[in-house]
Amino acid sequence: MLNHWRQPGDVLWREVFKGQRENVPLTRLVIPLRVIDELDRQKYGQGDLARKAATAIRYLERVLMGGQPGHPVPLRQGATLEVWVDTDDRGGDADLSILRCAADLNGLHPDTGARVLTDDTGMRLRAQVMDLKVVRLPEEYRKKGTALDDVPPPV
């Protein structure tokens, strides 16, 4: 999501959830450390993906600067961002590691539950099997120049 969609601070999260018929007064965006590992790996590659991953890492460093690891920092009114550092699950399947983090958060917050923010079909299906709710951003938040520019949005 960080590579192909607008930066989290540019997203009107309350509106995104309203579009999904949810009233969410505070959006707490939690990025598993495994996502940071994946971005770090990608930024040393070649081409557009490497550039996007490096941009995402710089964005996260800028937003999280001065904050305490594992604690939320404000993004905009009604939205915070933090990195989930309470895990040893940094090997093997990246998607499964990320979904385990979401499941942990879901268990810690049973009243509100966690959501998995993804545009990946496989991850969405795996999240649903794990009884995790999935959020997909509206197309207006997709960065231009992605491979999906010419693909019509799902029905």
Side-chain angles (χ1 to χ4, degrees):
M1 297 300 294
L2 291 166
N3 285 334
H4 303 293
W5 298 80
R6 293 196 343 220
Q7 296 176 339
D10 295 337
V11 175
L12 301 174
W13 293 101
R14 183 175 261 160
E15 297 302 315
V16 168
F17 284 107
K18 249 189 222 178
Q20 297 187 11
R21 297 181 186 93
E22 289 191 70
N23 182 18
V24 178
L26 174 64
T27 300
R28 182 178 168 195
L29 299 169
V30 180
I31 299 174
L33 190 55
R34 181 57 187 263
V35 171
I36 306 296
D37 292 343
E38 291 295 306
L39 289 170
D40 276 332
R41 184 183 56 75
Q42 291 171 350
K43 77 180 180 187
Y44 292 111
Q46 297 291 318
D48 194 46
L49 182 61
R51 183 184 55 77
K52 288 179 178 180
T55 299
I57 288 288
R58 283 193 306 272
Y59 170 79
L60 292 172
E61 287 176 336
R62 186 178 74 248
V63 169
L64 297 169
M65 186 174 36
Q68 191 70 8
H71 291 96
V73 296
L75 270 182
R76 62 179 309 133
Q77 185 175 357
T80 63
L81 179 75
E82 66 191 271
V83 175
W84 182 259
V85 293
D86 296 333
T87 185
D88 293 330
D89 190 7
R90 295 177 67 190
D93 184 318
D95 284 358
L96 189 54
S97 177
I98 293 164
L99 290 170
R100 284 186 190 131
C101 174
D104 288 347
L105 288 168
N106 205 43
L108 289 172
H109 302 283
D111 294 341
T112 57
R115 313 293 187 280
V116 176
L117 178 64
T118 185
D119 194 40
D120 182 282
T121 302
M123 184 174 245
R124 179 178 42 80
L125 293 171
R126 291 169 86 179
Q128 290 171 337
V129 167
M130 295 174 70
D131 288 327
L132 295 168
K133 293 181 182 178
V134 177
V135 172
R136 184 172 179 192
L137 288 175
E139 287 299 312
E140 67 195 66
Y141 290 109
R142 185 182 300 277
K143 290 179 185 174
K144 297 296 178 211
T146 66
L148 299 175
D149 278 349
D150 298 327
V151 176
V155 183

